[in-house]
Amino acid sequence: QSALTQPASVSGSPGQSITISCTGTSSDVGGYNYVSWYQQHPGKPPKLIIYDVSNRPSGVSNRFSGSKSGNTASLTISGLQAEDEADYYCNSYTSSSTVVFGGGTKVTVL
Amino acid sequence: EVQLVQSGAEVKKPGESLKISCKGSGYRFTSYWIGWVRQMPGKGLEWMGIIYPDDSDTRYSPSFQGQVTISVDKSINTAYLQWSSLKASDTAMYYCARRRSGGSRFDSWGQGTLVTVSS
């Protein structure tokens, strides 16, 4: 199974909105509504911010939202803040009953 | 409070064996899958495999099948990741994380175990 495809980096100014894409195949992203997104700050474990494409865990800011169209899922961060500067990873359930991660996207707040 | 507490950092030589652990608390351990994720220095997350503590049902990523063994001792709420013969390329941070049922939602993560393999 190949890693899901994410852009290496995305940047934006405070207050702006940015979108990170996560492209897979019909055997993973396109085949199931089981895409999750994680935020990872340096030296810390990942933190779940979106699950099942568009659901937010309790306590996660509503500035984070998720969606999916075909084989591509997306994470949107609105009202970008300095604390949002981190690495972001998507993952998806697969037809082999395994899980695959994306390569990760570094978000820079200008 | 849900917690996954991993064993401490390890420094090993190539060819040595190793078993690291992940102990769950604050929830029903047998009702959640435990997955393992590798993060090599400066790199992204890689899903290694997952185990269901209740019946030890285990799935591996094709990339890690045969390279590692995932196991569990549900009597002490602990999952394990082990190597029989380490390589320098196994140097990485290893995380455990729990998943409720099918899907990709890992909602609680361990603090990570740094494994360094060097001669």
Side-chain angles (χ1 to χ4, degrees):
Chain A
Q1 63 194 29
S2 300
L4 307 177
T5 300
Q6 297 181 233
S9 63
V10 173
S11 62
S13 299
Q16 285 187 327
S17 293
I18 61 170
T19 297
I20 303 168
S21 61
C22 170
T23 301
T25 69
S26 58
S27 296
D28 39 63
V29 174
Y32 306 90
N33 287 323
Y34 287 144
V35 176
S36 300
W37 290 90
Y38 303 84
Q39 176 191 62
Q40 187 180 34
H41 287 108
K44 300 292 188 182
K47 174 189 174 185
L48 177 71
I49 57 173
I50 294 289
Y51 67 93
D52 294 352
V53 175
S54 60
N55 295 287
R56 270 189 318 276
S58 174
V60 172
S61 171
N62 59 8
R63 297 186 299 103
F64 295 95
S65 61
S67 62
K68 190 185 86 166
S69 178
N71 295 338
T72 298
S74 299
L75 172 72
T76 297
I77 309 175
S78 58
L80 199 61
Q81 297 180 1
E83 68 209 48
D84 300 332
E85 189 160 293
D87 294 324
Y88 291 82
Y89 295 90
C90 61
N91 77 354
S92 175
Y93 187 71
T94 80
S95 58
S96 304
S97 300
T98 59
V99 172
V100 61
F101 277 96
T105 298
K106 182 175 182 62
V107 168
T108 301
V109 181
L110 301 171
Chain B
E1 178 195 5
V2 173
Q3 278 194 307
L4 293 174
V5 178
Q6 299 185 229
S7 48
E10 301 273 2
V11 179
K12 292 287 190 179
K13 293 186 183 335
E16 292 187 331
S17 63
L18 176 64
K19 192 173 189 178
I20 63 175
S21 66
C22 169
K23 183 175 177 62
S25 63
Y27 72 99
R28 186 169 181 168
F29 186 71
T30 51
S31 296
Y32 287 75
W33 295 76
I34 295 288
W36 288 94
V37 176
R38 182 175 79 174
Q39 187 166 38
M40 299 176 76
K43 301 298 184 182
L45 305 176
E46 299 173 272
W47 188 83
M48 302 176 70
I50 199 164
I51 190 164
Y52 192 59
D54 195 41
D55 60 6
S56 296
D57 184 11
T58 309
R59 316 286 169 81
Y60 292 94
S61 162
S63 300
F64 292 93
Q65 179 85 47
Q67 308 304 307
V68 297
T69 300
I70 295 171
S71 61
V72 68
D73 184 341
K74 64 182 180 180
S75 69
I76 56 171
N77 290 0
T78 301
Y80 302 96
L81 176 66
Q82 70 179 84
W83 296 259
S84 58
S85 180
L86 286 160
K87 302 184 276 289
S89 57
D90 292 318
T91 294
M93 180 71 81
Y94 292 88
Y95 293 103
C96 65
R98 75 168 195 175
R99 186 187 78 177
R100 180 65 175 91
S101 58
S104 67
R105 173 188 179 183
F106 292 94
D107 64 356
S108 185
W109 292 68
Q111 82 277 19
T113 295
L114 180 62
V115 174
T116 303
V117 183
S118 175
S119 54

